Amino acid sequence: MSASSSPLGLVGVSGSLRAQSYNSAALRAVASLLPEGMSFAVASLVDLPFYNSDVEQRGLPAAVQSFRNEIASADAMIFAVPEYNFSIPGVLKNALEWLSRPPDPPANGKPCALFGASVSPLGTARGQFHFRHICVSLNMIPINTPHVDIAPAKDKFDSEGRLVDQASLESIRQLLVHLQNLTMRLRDRSEA
Ligand SMILES: Cc1cc2nc3c(=O)[nH]c(=O)nc-3n(C[C@H](O)[C@H](O)[C@H](O)COP(=O)(O)O)c2cc1C
């Protein structure tokens, strides 16, 4: 199989650590919405320590190295972005700090998609825009459309925590197609 016909590896990251997280639940739905030719795995943030340059200088903690490896081995990323205080949660920002560090920052130049789920009917647009801002610093290339906001979350998930809102599922499906297209375009260009 040539590089250009091999499946695209997608890694998903949820910015919430809680067990009943709507964002993590929506991220799990990605597995059943993938276009043909994409594989999917979730990278957890649960074991990441707070970024501290003293710790970094002593050598990356195993959880950080493992997280960076998961991102490095993926062709594209998808982030489930909760909104905290009109921005992104510290847990997610902390993960991005670890990804941003040299040598070979593993998200550099990689395409990504994002969506968010919120208990508020106002949704996560403010948090998602902050995430896009941070993408500039890490040189991650975010998909612009569709904007996917799953809100208010309590109306969009069933009692088992599964995302059941058809419009949200369809938007994520479209997002994945756009992400696949961009990832293939970038890969073809780098092989040319
Ligand atoms: C510290 C904190 C700040 C929050 N700020 C916002 C906010 O700015 N906008 C919003 O829509 N929801 C906000 N929420 C509510 C979240 O939408 C809600 O907790 C949501 O369930 C978080 O995502 P999760 O279910 O994936 O954990 C906040 C929650 C917390 C704990």
Side-chain angles (χ1 to χ4, degrees), residues 1-8 36-38 180 184 187-188 191:
M1 196 179 267
S2 75
S4 56
S5 65
S6 59
L8 295 179
E36 200 176 324
M38 256 188 160
Q180 184 183 42
M184 286 193 304
R187 185 163 77 174
D188 290 349
E191 283 172 4

Side-chain angles (χ1 to χ4, degrees), residues 14-28 44 46 82 84 91 157-162:
S14 170
S16 175
L17 301 184
R18 70 188 191 95
Q20 305 303 322
S21 160
Y22 289 117
N23 284 279
S24 302
L27 190 64
R28 286 194 292 276
S44 171
V46 78
Y84 275 13
V91 159
F157 293 80
D158 69 11
S159 57
E160 312 279 299
R162 281 183 298 250

